């Protein structure tokens, strides 16, 4: 059975501002990156393999600054690829009703995105980390504020450049016993 040891490199590459901040906090606090085996193929040999992370995965998040309310008739639209969900603000809707309405529309459209009220703003987040969760948000066709871009983990397994997908770092090709190994990388 393969085991993994995670280490961090001081560079965080082109990660989002929030991912870089989380990474820097974990460095300052001395918290180690940890990994667990996600999968392995028949090509993977038992052993200890180093995992070096250059940037952590991040979860896409957008903000709608509202000053506490939206006007009746305004339309919020979530878009992910060819999927779209919209909600038209009703005359009696408060922010919680708007978030709930767009959450219902998103679920109905097959979008894994949820919204909440945060102070006087609406926040919408992808359900999982990584670039596959990326989406856009508009209010009356005007793009809103992207707080965090969805990004995949990046790094190396056994000294070889690995492929990131969400929080999973894998080595589908390569040389040595780690070939076919995939690990889930998190900061503890």
């Amino acid at each position: 059975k393969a085991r993994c040891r995670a280490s961090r490199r001081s560079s965080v590459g082109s990660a989002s501002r929030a991912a870089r901040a989380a990474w820097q906090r974990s460095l300052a606090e001395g918290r180690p990156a940890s990994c667990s085996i996600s999968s392995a193929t028949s090509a993977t040999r038992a052993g200890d393999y180093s995992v070096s992370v250059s940037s952590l995965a991040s979860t896409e998040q957008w903000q709608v600054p509202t000053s506490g309310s939206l006007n009746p008739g305004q339309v919020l639209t979530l878009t992910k690829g060819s999927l779209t969900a919209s909600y038209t603000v009703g005359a009696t809707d408060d922010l919680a009703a708007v978030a709930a309405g767009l959450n219902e529309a998103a679920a109905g459209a097959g979008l894994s995105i949820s919204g909440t009220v945060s102070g006087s703003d609406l926040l919408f987040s992808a359900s999982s980390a990584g670039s596959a969760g990326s989406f856009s948000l508009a209010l009356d066709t005007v793009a809103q504020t992207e707080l965090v871009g969805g990004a995949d983990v990046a790094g190396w397994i056994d000294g070889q450049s690995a492929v990131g997908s969400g929080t999973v770092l894998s080595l589908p090709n390569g040389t040595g016993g780690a070939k076919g190994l995939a690990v889930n990388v998190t900061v503890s």
Side-chain angles (χ1 to χ4, degrees):
K1 180 170 180 166
R3 293 180 295 180
C4 58
R5 278 187 320 271
S7 65
R8 292 172 290 190
R9 295 188 178 204
S10 59
S11 167
V12 291
S14 61
S16 72
R17 196 175 11 194
R20 281 193 303 269
W23 190 251
Q24 294 302 326
R25 279 192 308 276
S26 73
L27 286 172
E29 296 168 3
R31 294 183 306 164
S34 62
C35 61
S36 58
I37 305 297
S38 177
S39 65
T41 68
S42 59
T44 309
R45 294 193 306 257
D48 287 333
Y49 301 108
S50 66
V51 175
S52 297
V53 177
S54 60
S55 63
L56 294 169
S58 59
T59 302
E60 182 101 3
Q61 187 176 56
W62 286 71
Q63 175 186 34
V64 180
T66 68
S67 300
S69 65
L70 293 171
N71 296 322
Q74 287 185 295
V75 179
L76 279 164
T77 305
L78 291 168
T79 304
K80 180 179 176 186
S82 62
L83 301 176
T84 300
S86 295
Y87 181 77
T88 302
V89 178
T92 60
D93 284 353
D94 61 8
L95 292 181
V98 173
L102 192 51
N103 286 344
E104 185 176 330
L111 296 171
S112 297
I113 301 165
S114 62
T116 60
V117 177
S118 177
S120 62
D121 299 329
L122 292 171
L123 294 179
F124 290 87
S125 301
S127 63
S128 59
S131 61
S134 295
F135 64 95
S136 63
L137 175 62
L139 176 61
D140 290 336
T141 71
V142 176
Q144 296 302 292
T145 306
E146 181 182 45
L147 298 176
V148 179
D152 299 316
V153 65
W156 300 263
I157 297 175
D158 200 30
Q160 301 173 69
S161 183
V163 176
S165 178
T167 60
V168 176
L169 195 58
S170 64
L171 190 62
N173 301 303
T175 60
K179 180 180 177 181
L181 180 63
V183 296
N184 188 36
V185 178
T186 58
V187 173
S188 41

